[in-house]
Amino acid sequence: MTATPGLGTPQLASPDLLRSTFRRHAAGVAVITARGAFGPVGFTATSLTSVSAEPPLVSFGIGTGASSWPAVAEADHVGVHILGEHQRELAATFARSGADRFGAPTAWRDGPEGVPVLDDVLAWLVCRIVGRVPAGDHRIVLAEVVLGDPSGAGRPLLYHRGRFSGLRD
């Protein structure tokens, strides 16, 4: 390995290198929900990706050690929610281990296919899971959009350098 002038010292691949690198990558914030055997589950995701327009497919990653994984592993459908910058606390709640994610003040309802749908988001989708691809300690979930509502008002919530924030003009 050779050093590039003006850059820091290269590091060998490691979990810390990956985390440090992606802290510098601004990502949109979503919450994924599903109906589990013991009630609704959900988690904050910054790995949401549009995969295909025909058919309409999305993907997201979930750790196999995550509390939501058993429900997502068994679910036929999931909810995908795009959060607005006014929803920092909601994002933090769904990211926090052990939190009562669906208790007050979280506003939600049972949606199509029994999927928990969060209120006041920028957009939401109900998707049918079509694949779960092993990827290290995670699974990449592929899901086909069934229906949704993109009409929420506001600006998107972003995750950057370990914090939730909004866009700046």
Side-chain angles (χ1 to χ4, degrees):
M1 237 187 296
T2 60
T4 304
L7 297 179
T9 304
Q11 301 174 28
L12 292 175
S14 69
D16 286 339
L17 172 62
L18 188 67
R19 286 186 197 102
S20 294
T21 299
F22 274 86
R23 280 188 193 108
R24 296 174 182 277
H25 173 71
V29 181
V31 167
I32 309 299
T33 61
R35 176 65 59 187
F38 302 104
V41 301
F43 63 97
T44 299
T46 57
S47 61
L48 180 66
T49 304
S50 170
V51 174
S52 168
E54 276 300 323
L57 294 172
V58 299
S59 71
F60 59 87
I62 179 172
T64 56
S67 61
S68 297
W69 169 242
V72 173
E74 297 295 323
D76 292 326
H77 293 83
V78 292
V80 175
H81 306 82
I82 307 300
L83 300 190
E85 63 186 357
H86 63 286
Q87 295 177 302
R88 288 182 174 101
E89 268 309 306
L90 183 68
T93 296
F94 276 84
R96 196 168 31 254
S97 181
D100 182 4
R101 296 173 179 160
F102 290 90
T106 302
W108 65 282
R109 63 192 180 284
D110 284 320
E113 304 295 340
V115 171
V117 174
L118 301 175
D119 291 344
D120 198 30
V121 294
L122 298 186
W124 60 267
L125 301 169
V126 170
C127 303
R128 182 178 59 84
I129 295 177
V130 296
R132 296 172 185 88
V133 181
D137 61 356
H138 278 61
R139 294 296 181 268
I140 305 302
V141 177
L142 293 167
E144 184 173 5
V145 176
V146 175
L147 59 96
D149 180 0
S151 66
R155 294 163 54 107
L157 182 63
L158 299 178
Y159 187 73
H160 181 247
R161 292 192 180 242
R163 296 181 337 163
F164 297 111
S165 60
L167 292 173
R168 287 189 231 156
D169 291 329

